[in-house]
Amino acid sequence: MILERPKSLADVSTHFCPGCSHGIVHRLVSEVMDELQIEGRTVGICPVGCAVTSYNYFTCDMIEAAHGRAPAVATGVKRANPDKVVFTYQGDGDLAAIGTAETVHSATRGENITVIFINNTIYGMTGGQMAPTTLPGQVTQTTPYGRDPRYAGFPVRICEMVSTLSGCAYAERVAVDSPAHVKAAKKAIMKGFRNQLDGMGFSIIEILSTCPTNWGMTPSQAIERVRNEMIPYYPLGVYKDMTDKGGVFGDK
Amino acid sequence: MILERPKSLADVSTHFCPGCSHGIVHRLVSEVMDELQIEGRTVGICPVGCAVTSYNYFTCDMIEAAHGRAPAVATGVKRANPDKVVFTYQGDGDLAAIGTAETVHSATRGENITVIFINNTIYGMTGGQMAPTTLPGQVTQTTPYGRDPRYAGFPVRICEMVSTLSGCAYAERVAVDSPAHVKAAKKAIMKGFRNQLDGMGFSIIEILSTCPTNWGMTPSQAIERVRNEMIPYYPLGVYKDMTDKGGVFGDK
Amino acid sequence: MAEERVLMKGNEALAEAAIRAGCRCYFGYPITPQTEIAAYMSKRMPKIEGGVFLQAESEIAAINMVYGAAASGVRAMTSSSSPGVSLKSEGISYIAGCDLPCVIVNVQRGGPGLGGIQPSQSDYYMATKAGGHGDFHLLVFAPASVQDMADFAVWAFESADKYRMPAMILSDGLLGQMMEPVVFPEISSAQPEKPWAAVGHNNARPHNIINSLYLQPDELEASNIQRFERYEVVKREMASAQTYLTEDAEIIVTGYGATSRIIRSAVNAARKEGIKAGMLRPVTLWPFPEQAYKDTLSTAKVYLDVEMSMGQMVNDVKLAIECKRPVHFFGHTGGIIPTPAEVLAQIKALDEKIRKGDI
Amino acid sequence: MAEERVLMKGNEALAEAAIRAGCRCYFGYPITPQTEIAAYMSKRMPKIEGGVFLQAESEIAAINMVYGAAASGVRAMTSSSSPGVSLKSEGISYIAGCDLPCVIVNVQRGGPGLGGIQPSQSDYYMATKAGGHGDFHLLVFAPASVQDMADFAVWAFESADKYRMPAMILSDGLLGQMMEPVVFPEISSAQPEKPWAAVGHNNARPHNIINSLYLQPDELEASNIQRFERYEVVKREMASAQTYLTEDAEIIVTGYGATSRIIRSAVNAARKEGIKAGMLRPVTLWPFPEQAYKDTLSTAKVYLDVEMSMGQMVNDVKLAIECKRPVHFFGHTGGIIPTPAEVLAQIKALDEKIRKGDI
Amino acid sequence: MTSEIQLAGFGGQGILFAGKVLAYCGMLDGREVSWLPSYGPEMRGGTCNCSVTLSDEPIGSPTVYNPDILIVMNEPSFVKYINEVKPGGCAFVNTTLVDSVSDRKDIDIYNIPATAMAEENGLTGGANIVMIGMLIKKTGIISMDGIESTIRKMVPPKKAQLIENNMKAIRMGYDFE
Amino acid sequence: MTSEIQLAGFGGQGILFAGKVLAYCGMLDGREVSWLPSYGPEMRGGTCNCSVTLSDEPIGSPTVYNPDILIVMNEPSFVKYINEVKPGGCAFVNTTLVDSVSDRKDIDIYNIPATAMAEENGLTGGANIVMIGMLIKKTGIISMDGIESTIRKMVPPKKAQLIENNMKAIRMGYDFE
Amino acid sequence: MAKMTVDHSRCKGCGLCVDVCPKKIIVILKDVRTAKGYNPAECSDQSKCIGCGFCFEMCPDCAIRVEK
Amino acid sequence: MAKMTVDHSRCKGCGLCVDVCPKKIIVILKDVRTAKGYNPAECSDQSKCIGCGFCFEMCPDCAIRVEK
Ligand SMILES: Cc1ncc(C[n+]2csc(CCOP(=O)(O)OP(=O)(O)O)c2C)c(N)n1
Ligand SMILES: Cc1ncc(C[n+]2csc(CCOP(=O)(O)OP(=O)(O)O)c2C)c(N)n1
Ligand code: SF4
Ligand code: SF4
Ligand code: SF4
Ligand code: SF4
Ligand code: SF4
Ligand code: SF4
Ligand SMILES: [Mg+2]
Ligand SMILES: [Mg+2]
């Protein structure tokens, strides 16, 4: 047995900071594309955020979307090409703040796409401002005294929210803070793509991730934070699964 | 006992079509303003939709917001003037389509405002296009063959969705299809305003309403449709109530 | 096949022609006075092989769906009216920055803000100067009849593909709502290959990337320069205008779209009174038909620009004639359509001045 | 009180000055290169009586929060950079249509699309011509130093209130990110009464309505005409420019904001070589200081417009001088800042032409 | 020759449809035609009007300001438009819903209780077409043959009853007085 | 007189802070100053540079293209900038992280193993300030007095230790060789 | 004794009051046309009105006044 | 026998592999600096590697190869 770089992950070095979870998730998505042999018919949609240049890393065809609009762009691609595999890869600012309407409506439409959602409780790329998912009390550039829900609002729990929507076929929250969790994350991502191949509807995998740079932590500390602070606030698990009911349209 | 026009409802005739529920709800909101004696310190935000000219009907100060942005406008007013009472009055296109992000985020922020949400399963003002809440199978101008969720998506259930958000203090769905339901609707609206006076956080009252004109029905038929088709799909009831917990910030 | 005249609303004629031109994806959001386009598409698209109609959750979602569909190589369109087009600005800038072809329809209404829903031409600046942030242009077509609504839909799709540019059809509530007989154009041209499209590489080519991000300033500048070189070609090849009785005209009345119809009526009336008036109607607003204006300088003593706005195209007219003649402006806003009588009065006043030697 | 010089980034100086000018509500969404404004506000506002900092869920929400706060009579501000400002277009049009005062900051970056994050001036059109749909204008201020960033924040709030217009500070990444010493202006002026504000009538007056909808065309037109009459006053009272060595200048180099600093260096260098170059820097971009340009015609043989764009202000320069002299353009885009050496080379080439009699 | 026609009444009275019938008929006659509706927000109860131009040359402004022919179906529209009719023109007035009278002598005014006639004959909502019938008789700008083929083209064949009703309404108006 | 200074190195080496110290000091001296950082997306690992101008007249372009004084703290920056220095100018090179050497004879090159010196003295991250110390000694464009009051102003008083450490680093650089 | 009156200037003749009146005493006046062109409602028999207010609750135009 | 190798051209020295190795055989090379300026990781004792792949799973830069 050999564990090595998947084929669908381009042979280039990423610009991600040392210890950033984006890198792990990139590998997982690429492995899934390899294993399902879909790279050649997949179109990936990058967000605006630290993953903005993912088009350099994933070897499938890629489209860079405007901030928050990846699900709309994915919808355009998928509706025009129902036989292609379309996924978005989005951060929490992108998906849960500016892109809220696109997230909710692609979910409620049962858009047959796969959404990879990196929840790192921060705006990474712009230097560490509050994200919708920033934890209460968390210090960020725009919550310098710690996020106070009374003024800055409460964190949004995306899996919980989209699970209420009829078009959502599958919503699972995973983390990448340990090898076991990484493996579970891959299983979830695999399921998210398989669902699309099976026409199940909208699938979202929320991945609790690190941003050592903007958290002001070492990579190891950041992993600890995922485990000790994030997972308790964002419980892992499957929030919705319509796959044995034949998906959201119930006829598969 | 005299039942008559409330003081906060301007002494003008509305432009609403015969039998349209907007008129009933306007009366209810005005009565609540009267009974709480808050008209003088209330700022109402109109949507873009058939209620766009509500600024002519409510006698409190009024602001006309861009389509879907009423909760953001309300946030601006309320943050700048925390001692004022601020409500939005929005249709389902306004609140649940273009304004989804504003709805979700004012709710998750626990914005201390009251949202009156008219769900009539249609875009009234523009002549009867599909709304996010249009029922499966419903014929509209843009679902001429009936709404097929496979292509046009599933209806959004707003109370169910916003109830998952920590900043939402109170979410109730009511209807105005019978005198008893109208009275219950008023109670809910009253509670929505009281919550604001008590600093409880975000309150939303979803009101199942008619649009005889664009449904192609008589007013009586429209009332029947609310009862027989809408209520089964959109169950009435309280979806969230944090008032006895002291509101979303838990300290009142 | 005998050409058949059918009576249709401008909005519907545009929609039908778009479909005939190979538009396979329509994404839109209702707004008066263009909703008939969406309504028509919702009826027709499901009956067409591969046809997609989707009512988006907002204008922003709609333009970004168009972005996705266009990026994957499909002819895609959206339509809206003024406030909705404002919301599309960011998306339009992205589409231009990625060199994607698509068609955007603006059936203008009165502004600013919520404004009104009656016809207007106050989005000229937005269409021709700043469809969004950054340096870029749209192809802008200005129909003046229901027939144009149909013809220009085809023209827009074809030119958009040819130059890899987003094209805008800048219409208004009058043209959208009125009915006239229309003969649908024969669609001859096959669609061009789009080897750049992101639609899956089938392991047969390197991956395609659709993107407008260039973190290195020199790369971003290079992409801008390349685009503007292409624009120079477009200017040469596309600039288009229509003239009417300009050969000997002392007074050139100019206006685009619906306004040009009113101008034509007024010019006819002026001619009846012996006034040498002519009409110059820009058909493409970007590129602006500067040469057509210059060509009128030999006889023109004065220009009268008529718009349903406070005066937006008027500066382009001045620049086109290099400020060599006075350019007067007459306009209405808010949904008031200038009448032929009003325009005639303006023409007569100018004629009077000419006669008196004041011009 | 002795004036103290403090070393600050342009973004921070602007934020601090806004607070001193009475800004009580800031709503924004992060975007490079303006995020320091939000960061600064998030630190300071909570410490101020009635001060509100709120990170909105999007630029759209932010501008509409500003709309709400401004409608209720409070001095409110938002800031963003190019793509984010595109998204605000609809909201800006509403604010203008409702005659609400507020301040909008655009710290420009390269475009179109996602573009880049380095300094740019390619949103000139968006700021001065089409901040959104419909006929309207913004007051547009173009700072050229950190001191200006502070001073113009105050100026913008005061003029916005005075004329009931939204004001835009059109800055760029260079001015936002650089530090210079700044002396904060004394704030003298009390804020004007706002009897029109929707803030609760206390049963003491008829209800106020903030609105831009006029379903009757004549009412909408009347509101537009009224607004444009006000604009005429603004043009007379506000148009502002700075000149440097223009008295005898044959070559007028013109550019706004950060670019004017580079021009000044180049003009100095040119003068050293005996070339009669001068600088004309528009300080307000709307209203455009046309008279200042006309005033230079007596000596000017040629104009050189320098921008960090593909050339957007250049047409306004031509119109200001009524096309009476040639106007050349030199620009860079994408985050490349023109160097004094490059501008000097352009000046020398023009001087050469003048000497040869080619101009 | 150019005929400018204005039709006006309450929303719901079929003003736009009547205008469309005229335009369609003109088109089938091979003429230039334009049809321009008033449009507004959906809410019911307002007035509604429509400009139709039939011409032998290209049509400039499609808005009719001073009609050659006016069709008015309610009181407010009568008041609003009757004085706009070109001298020498004519007006068709639905007297069921118009009480006012005009003292204009320079135009021909044709009165017809179209709403009452339609209702009495089981053609509720057909008053608009009754008035078209009278217009054909009085002006001849379109022909009876033309109108029949127009209605056959405009109404889908499976709605044969509708075609019948429309033709019945036309004839009622044509034969009035 | 105008001094144009360029500072460059890895992100995280305190390039921007060192530049700010110079600018601040110049300001306290009553001079015109400007400070312009490179900026980019947050992701770590890139290079970082900063332009500082100290002048007695208003500063035009704040971007330094050909510095009078260069401070380079890593290899890539050395390679990139060493040939941009104005003839007659000088360069301060952090030899701990710069291996290349330049054969330019028209500028003064001062080598100092600043990173190693800082680390050895328990001042990890203080290499930038060590280099400032040497710059003061060699160029005199700012004074030791000036730098001390600058650092006292820039560092909040409650972080007294930090002030001490910075001054220690300055002196280390100043006293080098 | 209860009394229900309809303000004809507001009534749009929607008939919702007619539907809910438990006493079935509200009628639409087919022969009356309001200024806006509607056939308004009216109480046909005040003596039977129990003042329940159902009509008031359902009236979208607040055209009804009930005294009890 | 399992084998773990680190591609130094990719390794950013984050140390996540070090943390998760059950055999504690991964070390950060303080004295080596990669082209990008990082101290890379390395397996200090191949013989103890059990090929569990934990290091591989956690490596954000896919710099690790494990053979078993
Ligand atoms: C319209 C618009 N608004 C704002 C930005 C600036 N921006 C770039 S990335 C980003 C947030 C990224 O955060 P997130 O989505 O959480 O991704 P991460 O970097 O954390 O992976 C923002 C606000 C932009 N590019 N466009
Ligand atoms: C940005 C923008 N998009 C679209 C419109 C057009 N528009 C006006 S009202 C409306 C929908 C109204 O529907 P809803 O919110 O359900 O209210 P209702 O009329 O049913 O009460 C739309 C899409 C607009 N005015 N502005
Ligand atoms: S800034 Fe944060 S999210 Fe972005 S690459 Fe660095 S660690 Fe990852
Ligand atoms: S269109 Fe529908 S929602 Fe609008 S006023 Fe009429 S009935 Fe009410
Ligand atoms: S109050 Fe009750 S009984 Fe009286 S009219 Fe109204 S519904 Fe009928
Ligand atoms: S409910 Fe009101 S509007 Fe409707 S018929 Fe009765 S009184 Fe008239
Ligand atoms: S494979 Fe397992 S034992 Fe071997 S180095 Fe990696 S983590 Fe350690
Ligand atoms: S996890 Fe990967 S990048 Fe991090 S130290 Fe280990 S090998 Fe290097
Ligand atoms: Mg994030
Ligand atoms: Mg609705």
Side-chain angles (χ1 to χ4, degrees), chain A residues 136-155:
Chain A
Q138 187 180 336
V139 171
T140 71
Q141 203 190 70
T142 48
T143 54
Y145 312 113
R147 181 179 196 167
D148 180 350
R150 182 170 287 278
Y151 302 104
F154 291 93

PDB file of all heavy atoms in Angstrom, chain A residues 136-155:
ATOM      1  N   PRO A 136     -18.322  32.970  19.902  1.00  0.00           N
ATOM      2  CA  PRO A 136     -18.496  34.037  20.892  1.00  0.00           C
ATOM      3  C   PRO A 136     -17.213  34.193  21.699  1.00  0.00           C
ATOM      4  O   PRO A 136     -16.600  33.189  22.098  1.00  0.00           O
ATOM      5  CB  PRO A 136     -19.642  33.526  21.771  1.00  0.00           C
ATOM      6  CG  PRO A 136     -20.420  32.618  20.882  1.00  0.00           C
ATOM      7  CD  PRO A 136     -19.394  31.962  19.995  1.00  0.00           C
ATOM      8  N   GLY A 137     -16.813  35.403  21.898  1.00  0.00           N
ATOM      9  CA  GLY A 137     -15.592  35.658  22.658  1.00  0.00           C
ATOM     10  C   GLY A 137     -14.325  35.669  21.832  1.00  0.00           C
ATOM     11  O   GLY A 137     -13.299  36.187  22.269  1.00  0.00           O
ATOM     12  N   GLN A 138     -14.384  35.123  20.638  1.00  0.00           N
ATOM     13  CA  GLN A 138     -13.171  35.035  19.811  1.00  0.00           C
ATOM     14  C   GLN A 138     -12.701  36.431  19.384  1.00  0.00           C
ATOM     15  O   GLN A 138     -13.488  37.251  18.923  1.00  0.00           O
ATOM     16  CB  GLN A 138     -13.472  34.174  18.572  1.00  0.00           C
ATOM     17  CG  GLN A 138     -12.243  33.874  17.714  1.00  0.00           C
ATOM     18  CD  GLN A 138     -12.611  33.009  16.506  1.00  0.00           C
ATOM     19  OE1 GLN A 138     -13.605  32.287  16.512  1.00  0.00           O
ATOM     20  NE2 GLN A 138     -11.772  33.069  15.470  1.00  0.00           N
ATOM     21  N   VAL A 139     -11.415  36.659  19.571  1.00  0.00           N
ATOM     22  CA  VAL A 139     -10.833  37.936  19.154  1.00  0.00           C
ATOM     23  C   VAL A 139     -10.441  37.853  17.684  1.00  0.00           C
ATOM     24  O   VAL A 139      -9.781  36.910  17.256  1.00  0.00           O
ATOM     25  CB  VAL A 139      -9.595  38.281  20.008  1.00  0.00           C
ATOM     26  CG1 VAL A 139      -8.858  39.498  19.444  1.00  0.00           C
ATOM     27  CG2 VAL A 139     -10.019  38.539  21.453  1.00  0.00           C
ATOM     28  N   THR A 140     -10.894  38.809  16.912  1.00  0.00           N
ATOM     29  CA  THR A 140     -10.500  38.903  15.503  1.00  0.00           C
ATOM     30  C   THR A 140     -10.192  40.364  15.232  1.00  0.00           C
ATOM     31  O   THR A 140     -10.368  41.214  16.103  1.00  0.00           O
ATOM     32  CB  THR A 140     -11.626  38.457  14.547  1.00  0.00           C
ATOM     33  OG1 THR A 140     -12.668  39.456  14.573  1.00  0.00           O
ATOM     34  CG2 THR A 140     -12.209  37.109  14.936  1.00  0.00           C
ATOM     35  N   GLN A 141      -9.776  40.635  14.003  1.00  0.00           N
ATOM     36  CA  GLN A 141      -9.433  42.022  13.688  1.00  0.00           C
ATOM     37  C   GLN A 141     -10.635  42.960  13.841  1.00  0.00           C
ATOM     38  O   GLN A 141     -10.474  44.132  14.178  1.00  0.00           O
ATOM     39  CB  GLN A 141      -8.922  42.074  12.242  1.00  0.00           C
ATOM     40  CG  GLN A 141      -8.047  43.275  11.961  1.00  0.00           C
ATOM     41  CD  GLN A 141      -7.769  43.426  10.482  1.00  0.00           C
ATOM     42  OE1 GLN A 141      -8.641  43.761   9.687  1.00  0.00           O
ATOM     43  NE2 GLN A 141      -6.534  43.171  10.105  1.00  0.00           N
ATOM     44  N   THR A 142     -11.829  42.455  13.590  1.00  0.00           N
ATOM     45  CA  THR A 142     -13.012  43.318  13.706  1.00  0.00           C
ATOM     46  C   THR A 142     -13.851  43.018  14.953  1.00  0.00           C
ATOM     47  O   THR A 142     -14.923  43.595  15.121  1.00  0.00           O
ATOM     48  CB  THR A 142     -13.894  43.206  12.441  1.00  0.00           C
ATOM     49  OG1 THR A 142     -14.085  41.823  12.134  1.00  0.00           O
ATOM     50  CG2 THR A 142     -13.229  43.891  11.265  1.00  0.00           C
ATOM     51  N   THR A 143     -13.378  42.112  15.786  1.00  0.00           N
ATOM     52  CA  THR A 143     -13.954  41.956  17.133  1.00  0.00           C
ATOM     53  C   THR A 143     -12.787  42.015  18.112  1.00  0.00           C
ATOM     54  O   THR A 143     -12.450  41.012  18.746  1.00  0.00           O
ATOM     55  CB  THR A 143     -14.732  40.627  17.304  1.00  0.00           C
ATOM     56  OG1 THR A 143     -13.873  39.524  16.926  1.00  0.00           O
ATOM     57  CG2 THR A 143     -15.980  40.587  16.464  1.00  0.00           C
ATOM     58  N   PRO A 144     -12.166  43.196  18.216  1.00  0.00           N
ATOM     59  CA  PRO A 144     -10.919  43.285  18.972  1.00  0.00           C
ATOM     60  C   PRO A 144     -11.110  43.005  20.464  1.00  0.00           C
ATOM     61  O   PRO A 144     -10.148  42.663  21.140  1.00  0.00           O
ATOM     62  CB  PRO A 144     -10.459  44.729  18.740  1.00  0.00           C
ATOM     63  CG  PRO A 144     -11.670  45.474  18.299  1.00  0.00           C
ATOM     64  CD  PRO A 144     -12.542  44.481  17.605  1.00  0.00           C
ATOM     65  N   TYR A 145     -12.353  43.120  20.928  1.00  0.00           N
ATOM     66  CA  TYR A 145     -12.607  42.821  22.339  1.00  0.00           C
ATOM     67  C   TYR A 145     -13.283  41.459  22.495  1.00  0.00           C
ATOM     68  O   TYR A 145     -13.859  41.166  23.536  1.00  0.00           O
ATOM     69  CB  TYR A 145     -13.472  43.939  22.944  1.00  0.00           C
ATOM     70  CG  TYR A 145     -12.951  45.324  22.608  1.00  0.00           C
ATOM     71  CD1 TYR A 145     -13.661  46.191  21.793  1.00  0.00           C
ATOM     72  CD2 TYR A 145     -11.698  45.742  23.073  1.00  0.00           C
ATOM     73  CE1 TYR A 145     -13.167  47.443  21.461  1.00  0.00           C
ATOM     74  CE2 TYR A 145     -11.196  46.994  22.743  1.00  0.00           C
ATOM     75  CZ  TYR A 145     -11.929  47.845  21.930  1.00  0.00           C
ATOM     76  OH  TYR A 145     -11.427  49.074  21.599  1.00  0.00           O
ATOM     77  N   GLY A 146     -13.201  40.650  21.479  1.00  0.00           N
ATOM     78  CA  GLY A 146     -13.873  39.345  21.516  1.00  0.00           C
ATOM     79  C   GLY A 146     -15.277  39.487  20.956  1.00  0.00           C
ATOM     80  O   GLY A 146     -15.954  40.489  21.194  1.00  0.00           O
ATOM     81  N   ARG A 147     -15.739  38.482  20.205  1.00  0.00           N
ATOM     82  CA  ARG A 147     -17.073  38.598  19.604  1.00  0.00           C
ATOM     83  C   ARG A 147     -18.140  38.609  20.694  1.00  0.00           C
ATOM     84  O   ARG A 147     -18.305  37.622  21.409  1.00  0.00           O
ATOM     85  CB  ARG A 147     -17.336  37.429  18.645  1.00  0.00           C
ATOM     86  CG  ARG A 147     -18.710  37.521  17.986  1.00  0.00           C
ATOM     87  CD  ARG A 147     -19.000  36.383  17.008  1.00  0.00           C
ATOM     88  NE  ARG A 147     -20.143  36.747  16.156  1.00  0.00           N
ATOM     89  CZ  ARG A 147     -20.488  36.090  15.053  1.00  0.00           C
ATOM     90  NH1 ARG A 147     -19.794  35.052  14.645  1.00  0.00           N
ATOM     91  NH2 ARG A 147     -21.523  36.483  14.338  1.00  0.00           N
ATOM     92  N   ASP A 148     -18.862  39.680  20.753  1.00  0.00           N
ATOM     93  CA  ASP A 148     -19.963  39.783  21.693  1.00  0.00           C
ATOM     94  C   ASP A 148     -21.256  39.660  20.907  1.00  0.00           C
ATOM     95  O   ASP A 148     -21.621  40.561  20.152  1.00  0.00           O
ATOM     96  CB  ASP A 148     -19.897  41.137  22.413  1.00  0.00           C
ATOM     97  CG  ASP A 148     -21.034  41.298  23.425  1.00  0.00           C
ATOM     98  OD1 ASP A 148     -21.959  40.457  23.432  1.00  0.00           O
ATOM     99  OD2 ASP A 148     -20.977  42.259  24.208  1.00  0.00           O
ATOM    100  N   PRO A 149     -21.959  38.544  21.085  1.00  0.00           N
ATOM    101  CA  PRO A 149     -23.158  38.328  20.268  1.00  0.00           C
ATOM    102  C   PRO A 149     -24.162  39.467  20.369  1.00  0.00           C
ATOM    103  O   PRO A 149     -24.928  39.704  19.438  1.00  0.00           O
ATOM    104  CB  PRO A 149     -23.743  37.033  20.839  1.00  0.00           C
ATOM    105  CG  PRO A 149     -22.563  36.323  21.410  1.00  0.00           C
ATOM    106  CD  PRO A 149     -21.660  37.396  21.954  1.00  0.00           C
ATOM    107  N   ARG A 150     -24.142  40.184  21.460  1.00  0.00           N
ATOM    108  CA  ARG A 150     -25.091  41.278  21.615  1.00  0.00           C
ATOM    109  C   ARG A 150     -24.886  42.348  20.544  1.00  0.00           C
ATOM    110  O   ARG A 150     -25.834  42.996  20.117  1.00  0.00           O
ATOM    111  CB  ARG A 150     -24.927  41.884  23.006  1.00  0.00           C
ATOM    112  CG  ARG A 150     -25.883  42.999  23.314  1.00  0.00           C
ATOM    113  CD  ARG A 150     -25.808  43.378  24.786  1.00  0.00           C
ATOM    114  NE  ARG A 150     -26.427  42.369  25.623  1.00  0.00           N
ATOM    115  CZ  ARG A 150     -27.753  42.297  25.839  1.00  0.00           C
ATOM    116  NH1 ARG A 150     -28.570  43.157  25.273  1.00  0.00           N
ATOM    117  NH2 ARG A 150     -28.242  41.366  26.614  1.00  0.00           N
ATOM    118  N   TYR A 151     -23.663  42.524  20.126  1.00  0.00           N
ATOM    119  CA  TYR A 151     -23.411  43.536  19.093  1.00  0.00           C
ATOM    120  C   TYR A 151     -23.031  42.903  17.750  1.00  0.00           C
ATOM    121  O   TYR A 151     -23.376  43.415  16.701  1.00  0.00           O
ATOM    122  CB  TYR A 151     -22.311  44.499  19.556  1.00  0.00           C
ATOM    123  CG  TYR A 151     -22.695  45.170  20.845  1.00  0.00           C
ATOM    124  CD1 TYR A 151     -22.130  44.779  22.056  1.00  0.00           C
ATOM    125  CD2 TYR A 151     -23.684  46.154  20.846  1.00  0.00           C
ATOM    126  CE1 TYR A 151     -22.542  45.372  23.251  1.00  0.00           C
ATOM    127  CE2 TYR A 151     -24.095  46.743  22.023  1.00  0.00           C
ATOM    128  CZ  TYR A 151     -23.525  46.351  23.232  1.00  0.00           C
ATOM    129  OH  TYR A 151     -23.944  46.920  24.389  1.00  0.00           O
ATOM    130  N   ALA A 152     -22.294  41.812  17.830  1.00  0.00           N
ATOM    131  CA  ALA A 152     -21.770  41.230  16.595  1.00  0.00           C
ATOM    132  C   ALA A 152     -22.554  40.000  16.164  1.00  0.00           C
ATOM    133  O   ALA A 152     -22.232  39.382  15.151  1.00  0.00           O
ATOM    134  CB  ALA A 152     -20.297  40.881  16.778  1.00  0.00           C
ATOM    135  N   GLY A 153     -23.603  39.667  16.896  1.00  0.00           N
ATOM    136  CA  GLY A 153     -24.443  38.545  16.498  1.00  0.00           C
ATOM    137  C   GLY A 153     -23.888  37.197  16.905  1.00  0.00           C
ATOM    138  O   GLY A 153     -22.744  37.070  17.339  1.00  0.00           O
ATOM    139  N   PHE A 154     -24.742  36.190  16.724  1.00  0.00           N
ATOM    140  CA  PHE A 154     -24.353  34.829  17.049  1.00  0.00           C
ATOM    141  C   PHE A 154     -23.777  34.138  15.817  1.00  0.00           C
ATOM    142  O   PHE A 154     -24.123  34.484  14.694  1.00  0.00           O
ATOM    143  CB  PHE A 154     -25.574  34.028  17.503  1.00  0.00           C
ATOM    144  CG  PHE A 154     -26.111  34.458  18.825  1.00  0.00           C
ATOM    145  CD1 PHE A 154     -27.132  35.406  18.906  1.00  0.00           C
ATOM    146  CD2 PHE A 154     -25.617  33.909  20.008  1.00  0.00           C
ATOM    147  CE1 PHE A 154     -27.637  35.813  20.132  1.00  0.00           C
ATOM    148  CE2 PHE A 154     -26.120  34.307  21.240  1.00  0.00           C
ATOM    149  CZ  PHE A 154     -27.134  35.262  21.299  1.00  0.00           C
ATOM    150  N   PRO A 155     -22.936  33.146  16.047  1.00  0.00           N
ATOM    151  CA  PRO A 155     -22.449  32.337  14.919  1.00  0.00           C
ATOM    152  C   PRO A 155     -23.611  31.628  14.214  1.00  0.00           C
ATOM    153  O   PRO A 155     -24.620  31.312  14.842  1.00  0.00           O
ATOM    154  CB  PRO A 155     -21.543  31.313  15.598  1.00  0.00           C
ATOM    155  CG  PRO A 155     -21.170  31.920  16.910  1.00  0.00           C
ATOM    156  CD  PRO A 155     -22.333  32.744  17.319  1.00  0.00           C
TER     157      PRO A 155
END
